[in-house]
C-alpha cells in the first residue's frame, strides 16, 4: 500500500486571491509607493485643509476642509492608478509575467489581479484622507455627500491607468513611470487641486487632464462652483458638459497613446 505525497492543486480563485494579497502587501511595504500614494495626500490635506484658517468656512454643501479633502483624495487616487498600471506594463516587458505563470496563474487572472490590486491601492488614499478629514473638521451637509464624493474620487482616477500604461509602453522603464507620476504634480496644479486658479491660468487649466476629474469629484459639494482667489470676488460656475468633455477627451488621448505604443512595439 502506497501513500501519495502530492499536494492538492490550488484553485484559480485561491491563486488569484493569494496573488492580489501578495501584490498589495508588496506595494504597501514599498516606502516610496506608500509615501507618494497614501502619506503625501494625507499630509497635504493636513497642511492645506486643516492648518489654514479658512478650513471651517462654508463652501457649497460643506466647508473648505471638505473641499481640500476631496482634492487631495483625487490626487492620491490618480497617482495610484498611474503608478500601478505603469508598473504592470513594465513587468510584462521584463518577463515577470511569464515567471508568475509558472505558479499556475493564468494570463487572464494576472490582468484581473493587477486591476483588483490597482483598485485597492487607489481606494487606500481615499479612505486615509477621508478618515483624516472626518476627525479634523471636514464637513458635508449629509452622509450622501461623503459617499458620493468618495466614489467619484475613485471613478475619475480610472482613466489615468491609461496614462500610466502609455508612459510605460513608450519608454519601458520604472523611471518613465516615476516621470509620469511627476507630471501629475503639474497637472494637479492646473487642475485646481492645490490652490484655486483665476484669470488666464484658469483658462489654460480647462484644457489640462486633471481639471475635469477634480471638478467632477467635487461636484456633490460645489455643483460646479469655482472658488474665487480673492474674497468678495464674483463666484462662477463650471458646466457639467465641459467637465465630461475634458474627461472624455483626455481618456481618448491616453487610449490613442497606448495604441501607438503597442503598434510601435509590434512593428519592431
Amino acid at each position: 500500500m502506497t501513500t501519495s505525497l502530492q499536494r492538492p492543486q490550488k484553485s484559480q480563485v485561491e491563486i488569484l486571491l493569494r496573488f492580489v494579497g501578495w501584490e498589495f502587501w508588496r506595494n504597501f511595504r514599498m516606502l516610496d509607493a506608500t509615501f507618494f500614494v497614501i502619506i503625501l495626500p494625507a499630509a497635504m490635506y493636513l497642511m492645506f485643509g486643516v492648518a489654514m484658517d479658512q478650513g471651517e468656512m462654508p463652501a457649497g454643501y460643506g466647508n473648505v476642509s471638505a473641499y481640500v479633502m476631496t482634492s487631495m483624495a483625487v490626487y492620491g487616487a490618480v497617482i495610484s492608478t498611474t503608478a500601478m498600471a505603469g508598473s504592470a506594463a513594465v513587468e510584462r516587458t521584463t518577463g515577470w509575467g511569464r515567471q508568475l505563470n509558472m505558479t499556475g496563474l493564468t494570463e487572464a487572472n494576472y490582468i484581473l489581479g493587477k486591476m483588483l490590486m490597482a483598485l485597492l491601492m487607489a481606494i487606500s488614499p481615499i479612505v486615509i484622507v477621508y478618515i483624516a478629514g472626518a476627525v479634523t473638521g471636514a464637513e458635508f451637509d449629509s452622509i450622501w455627500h461623503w459617499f458620493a464624493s468618495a466614489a467619484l474620487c475613485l471613478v475619475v482616477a480610472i482613466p489615468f491607468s491609461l496614462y500610466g500604461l502609455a508612459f510605460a509602453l513608450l519608454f519601458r522603464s520604472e523611471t518613465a513611470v516615476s516621470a509620469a507620476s511627476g507630471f501629475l504634480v503639474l497637472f494637479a496644479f492646473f487642475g485646481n487641486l492645490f490652490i484655486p486658479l483665476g484669470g488666464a491660468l484658469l483658462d489654460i487649466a480647462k484644457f489640462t487632464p486633471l481639471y475635469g476629474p477634480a471638478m467632477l469629484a467635487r461636484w456633490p459639494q460645489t455643483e460646479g462652483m469655482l472658488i474665487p482667489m480673492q474674497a468678495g470676488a464674483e463666484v462662477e460656475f463650471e458646466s457639467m458638459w465641459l467637465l465630461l468633455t475634458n474627461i472624455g477627451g483626455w481618456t481618448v488621448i491616453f487610449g490613442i497613446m497606448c495604441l501607438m505604443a503597442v503598434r510601435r512595439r509590434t512593428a519592431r
Side-chain angles (χ1 to χ4, degrees):
M1 181 177 181
T2 59
T3 302
S4 175
L5 298 178
Q6 286 186 336
R7 294 180 177 178
Q9 289 189 340
K10 296 182 174 63
S11 67
Q12 281 297 314
V13 174
E14 186 179 358
I15 294 174
L16 174 63
L17 293 178
R18 288 171 66 91
F19 172 64
V20 172
W22 177 79
E23 276 285 288
F24 180 75
W25 179 239
R26 181 177 71 87
N27 283 276
F28 196 79
R29 287 187 305 168
M30 295 171 62
L31 183 60
D32 53 347
T34 306
F35 177 80
F36 285 106
V37 172
I38 297 177
I39 298 177
L40 183 61
M44 293 175 74
Y45 160 71
L46 295 176
M47 186 185 306
F48 298 121
V50 179
M52 62 182 187
D53 299 332
Q54 297 92 343
E56 297 180 355
M57 293 180 62
Y61 297 102
N63 59 13
V64 173
S65 289
Y67 180 93
V68 178
M69 176 186 70
T70 307
S71 300
M72 293 304 105
V74 170
Y75 182 59
V78 164
I79 289 179
S80 178
T81 52
T82 298
M84 294 303 105
S87 63
V90 172
E91 286 178 5
R92 300 298 292 174
T93 60
T94 56
W96 176 238
R98 289 192 293 273
Q99 293 189 32
L100 287 175
N101 290 342
M102 297 175 65
T103 66
L105 187 71
T106 63
E107 290 283 338
N109 280 345
Y110 174 81
I111 297 173
L112 179 60
K114 281 292 184 182
M115 291 173 61
L116 292 173
M117 198 275 297
L119 192 64
L120 288 174
M121 289 298 291
I123 291 173
S124 300
I126 298 173
V127 171
I128 297 298
V129 172
Y130 268 59
I131 289 175
V135 299
T136 55
E139 294 179 355
F140 287 120
D141 285 2
S142 71
I143 191 68
W144 176 87
H145 290 92
W146 283 93
F147 286 105
S149 61
L152 285 172
C153 288
L154 180 62
V155 170
V156 300
I158 293 175
F160 282 84
S161 60
L162 294 175
Y163 168 72
L165 187 62
F167 259 75
L169 290 173
L170 285 170
F171 303 103
R172 291 184 291 177
S173 70
E174 292 287 353
T175 306
V177 179
S178 300
S181 299
F183 280 118
L184 287 178
V185 178
L186 182 63
F187 295 154
F189 171 78
F190 281 103
N192 269 348
L193 288 178
F194 298 148
I195 57 171
L197 301 178
L201 284 178
L202 181 61
D203 294 335
I204 296 172
K206 296 180 180 180
F207 297 96
T208 58
L210 264 174
Y211 181 80
M215 290 292 295
L216 186 61
R218 293 191 296 248
W219 188 272
Q221 179 183 4
T222 64
E223 294 185 342
M225 180 177 66
L226 292 166
I227 303 295
M229 294 185 66
Q230 298 177 348
E234 183 180 357
V235 176
E236 299 180 0
F237 288 82
E238 196 62 87
S239 61
M240 176 63 83
W241 73 264
L242 188 143
L243 306 183
L244 296 178
T245 302
N246 175 282
I247 296 171
W250 279 106
T251 301
V252 171
I253 291 173
F254 294 153
I256 291 173
M257 289 171 61
C258 290
L259 288 176
M260 291 175 62
V262 171
R263 288 180 178 176
R264 192 181 72 166
R265 288 182 57 191
T266 54
R268 290 179 177 176

